[in-house]
Amino acid sequence: MKDSPYLPRLARIEEIRVETVGRRPIKTFRVSLKDGGTFTFAPGQCVMVSVMGVGEAIFAVSSPPKGDGYIEFSVMKLGRVTSALHRAEVGETLGIRGPYGRPFPVEEWRGRDLLIIGGGIGAAPLRSLIGYVLSHREEYGSLTVLYGARSSRDLCYREEMRAWAERNDVSLHLTIDRPEEGWDGLVGMVPDVLREMKPSPENTVAVTCGPPIMIKFVMEALADMGFPPEDIYTTLERRMKCGIGKCGRCNIGPLYVCKDGPVFSYAEILKVSRNAGGGGVL
Ligand SMILES: Cc1cc2nc3c(=O)[nH]c(=O)nc-3n(C[C@H](O)[C@H](O)[C@H](O)COP(=O)(O)OP(=O)(O)OC[C@H]3O[C@@H](n4cnc5c(N)ncnc54)[C@H](O)[C@@H]3O)c2cc1C
Ligand code: FES
């Protein structure tokens, strides 16, 4: 039982940050492991978080890997577990198991320009990725970030965004769906803004995460602009239970999102979709 993959490690909530306060609010939790050990993960991986007496839910790790005992994850309030997390307070104990899933292939991307495209809570794994790239800045080419939300109130990670905007080695573009008084950023849905930006596919890897419909239109837009499907990546979401490829809950065709993903290239998604007779994967 000691080495059971289902056994969570106990973690203390060290800090809770309110990211957004809309209809589906988002909070970021910073936790430390109570066993004093470290938590090793890579950008794009997830953790199963348990709230005692309530249940478990899976979240992308939203902080970059630092090799210390802290991790952060951001939670949109939706149902039982996420609502319990939103009621939790600093000092409370959670269970953490993982990390799970295939991370972004950051080593393969060395020397490439990166175009990172996020929407809403989809910024969570991208924040981990951007933090990683910034701490290995010399290994990558240009870094362009396009991030959108329904309104300015729904944009996550404002502090980080402000810091990225001030750097001369990050090109940050923020967009909201409709015009707002006082908003001096872009206006329009992420896929439309992306098409207007006309990024060059030359030596560029594009990474996107957000609502499924946004991911679909972003990947189609990138393909139309000449990005090869092998150079477009996303992370997919499916309802999950075990997180380790045992329960069969999270499959898309022959692939398990928890084990084979959540990171997939567009080429992989197109292949699964074609084998399923063109049925939608997103
Ligand atoms: C790989 C992966 C990474 C994820 N990363 C994040 C993250 O970083 N931040 C975050 O806030 N959420 C993330 N999610 C979604 C998160 O796991 C669900 O929101 C959570 O499990 C809901 O639990 P609950 O008990 O609050 O909801 P429940 O009480 O179980 O369900 C409430 C409602 O939400 C719907 N629902 C539950 N889970 C999902 C889901 N995965 N997709 C669509 N609808 C769902 C249910 O059908 C139901 O209508 C991720 C999911 C996956 C698979
Ligand atoms: S969640 Fe059980 S197989 Fe993926």
Side-chain angles (χ1 to χ4, degrees), residues 239-250 256-258:
R239 295 300 305 267
M240 286 190 186
K241 200 166 178 190
C242 69
I244 54 174
K246 301 278 186 215
C247 72
R249 179 89 178 253
C250 66
Y256 290 133
V257 171
C258 64

Side-chain angles (χ1 to χ4, degrees), residues 198-217:
K198 294 192 185 65
S200 165
E202 183 76 33
N203 193 37
T204 304
V205 172
V207 189
T208 185
C209 187
I213 192 73
M214 186 209 90
I215 294 179
K216 177 176 160 31
F217 287 130

Side-chain angles (χ1 to χ4, degrees), residues 266-276:
Y266 191 31
E268 291 168 313
I269 291 172
L270 289 174
K271 190 170 163 205
V272 172
S273 179
R274 265 195 299 271
N275 290 343

